[in-house]
Amino acid sequence: MLWKKIGRNEPCWCGSGRKYKTCHEAMDERVNLAAMQGAIIPTRKMIKTPEQIEKIKESCLINIAVLDAIEKEIHEGMNTAQIDKMVYDITTDMGGIPAPLNYEGFPYSVCTSVNDQVCHGFPSEKVILQSGDIINVDCSTIKNGYFSDSSRMFCIGDVDPEWKKLVQVTKECVELGLEQVKPWGYLGDMGQAVFDHAAENGYSVVRDIGGHGVGLEFHEDPFVSYCTKRGTDMLLVPGMMFTIEPMVNMGDPDVFVDEENDWEVYTDDGSPSAQWEIQVLVTETGHEVLCW
Ligand code: MF3
Ligand code: CO
């Protein structure tokens, strides 16, 4: 569906208070032209206003602070319930709410996914970090109703060089994907960059779970896949905001969900999996990373 135009002298739909003709009119025309040429275009709802972006950035600051604190503290012998407690305490001390807590029944403040756990791992006193483990800590914050979402990997003690490489290459996948994020490009430019770098290193990318729009809600459209091709998928427009969070497996891409809790995701073949997640804004000139 095309973006509905409004009178040139009317106040812009974005809420800037400026006249449409000096605000979003040119952008709307460009989006509609792309749509008429066959592109998948975002909805206007996906375009964040400057005011919303400022609010979301406050949320992101908490997310970054929490992950920075975990990065300092995480160590061999620690259990992942301690990480959960740290996330809860720091987030709430800073005036935020951990977004995962009670999200669709998720019972913790953070996801901690170790080794062959792909994502949505439950923090637990029974999961004690051992030398050689790789762990993803996935944090999300609500501040004044605005959402942030990012995750990092940590290598505990003495990690097998092959596993370290998986962690490193997965980070590079995110960086290479990010380089492709610019207005009037395509989400598939990012997706293919991620996919190709994983594949070149002999790894696979999880297909069923991906990134997402974020900001006004925890998970918004679009779904962000890494199995897309350059020049395809959604047109990137200034004001769009989404996560890049590929899950990269050393072995096969297939995963399964733990039937006992319907949350924790593991690789089918038991091979290790890594993930990094950033929250990115499409700007007029390129992109801005809001949290990592
Ligand atoms: N932070 C996860 C993501 O990247 C969200 C997981 S849903 C939760 O999208 F409930 F497990 F937190
Ligand atoms: Co996410």
Side-chain angles (χ1 to χ4, degrees), residues 6 10-20 22-25 27-28 44 47-52 238:
I6 55 175
E10 282 179 45
C12 190
W13 54 263
C14 76
S16 65
R18 275 153 57 201
K19 288 185 178 169
Y20 182 52
T22 63
C23 196
H24 274 91
E25 186 186 32
M27 184 173 116
D28 288 7
R44 250 183 200 159
I47 310 305
K48 268 69 181 176
T49 67
E51 292 73 24
Q52 289 169 337

Side-chain angles (χ1 to χ4, degrees), residues 21-278:
K21 65 184 178 190
T22 63
C23 196
H24 274 91
E25 186 186 32
M27 184 173 116
D28 288 7
E29 275 169 2
R30 198 161 174 183
V31 169
N32 283 342
L33 183 62
M36 288 184 286
Q37 291 168 341
I40 302 169
I41 58 168
T43 59
R44 250 183 200 159
K45 228 182 108 186
M46 291 181 201
I47 310 305
K48 268 69 181 176
T49 67
E51 292 73 24
Q52 289 169 337
I53 292 166
E54 284 317 303
K55 295 288 190 186
I56 293 164
K57 281 182 175 175
E58 287 180 31
S59 179
C60 290
L61 287 181
I62 299 178
N63 225 54
I64 293 166
V66 170
L67 281 166
D68 283 349
I70 301 294
E71 192 160 337
K72 275 204 193 115
E73 191 57 35
I74 197 163
H75 58 267
E76 190 180 337
M78 182 181 204
N79 69 60
T80 52
Q82 291 171 275
I83 297 175
D84 188 59
K85 183 173 185 326
M86 275 185 75
V87 171
Y88 182 85
D89 289 347
I90 299 169
T91 305
T92 51
D93 281 352
M94 292 183 74
I97 302 165
L101 194 56
N102 304 319
Y103 174 77
E104 294 186 1
F106 191 84
Y108 301 99
S109 296
V110 64
C111 302
T112 52
S113 305
V114 182
N115 300 339
D116 65 327
Q117 262 182 339
V118 174
C119 65
H120 304 164
F122 283 4
S124 165
E125 277 173 18
K126 291 191 197 126
V127 179
I128 299 163
L129 297 176
Q130 318 272 347
S131 179
D133 283 345
I134 59 171
I135 177 175
N136 172 274
V137 178
D138 190 341
C139 273
S140 321
T141 301
I142 315 172
K143 175 78 195 292
N144 297 326
Y146 295 87
F147 288 81
S148 54
D149 187 8
S150 59
S151 79
R152 301 182 197 170
M153 291 298 295
F154 302 105
C155 292
I156 307 299
D158 205 8
V159 171
D160 182 320
E162 288 293 314
W163 288 37
K164 268 194 189 153
K165 185 181 161 203
L166 173 70
V167 170
Q168 177 59 26
V169 168
T170 306
K171 189 176 195 187
E172 290 163 8
C173 285
V174 172
E175 289 162 354
L176 291 167
L178 175 66
E179 273 179 25
Q180 298 296 320
V181 176
K182 48 185 166 309
W184 318 112
Y186 290 87
L187 206 47
D189 305 346
M190 182 285 298
Q192 182 164 4
V194 169
F195 187 94
D196 287 353
H197 191 60
E200 277 158 21
N201 283 280
Y203 303 143
S204 65
V205 179
V206 173
R207 294 167 177 275
D208 321 337
I209 317 166
H212 49 91
V214 61
L216 308 184
E217 290 169 52
F218 196 172
H219 296 110
E220 304 172 3
D221 285 337
F223 175 69
V224 176
S225 169
Y226 317 98
C227 301
T228 44
K229 292 286 175 200
R230 169 167 292 286
T232 72
D233 206 342
M234 194 174 280
L235 181 75
L236 297 177
V237 174
M240 283 173 73
M241 191 185 287
F242 53 87
T243 68
I244 303 177
E245 52 174 315
M247 294 153 215
V248 177
N249 297 350
M250 195 180 280
D252 293 336
D254 306 323
V255 300
F256 70 92
V257 181
D258 187 331
E259 281 179 7
E260 292 204 341
N261 57 42
D262 246 358
W263 272 108
E264 295 181 292
V265 179
Y266 294 82
T267 58
D268 255 353
D269 62 6
S271 69
S273 182
Q275 178 184 30
W276 296 80
E277 174 176 20
I278 60 173

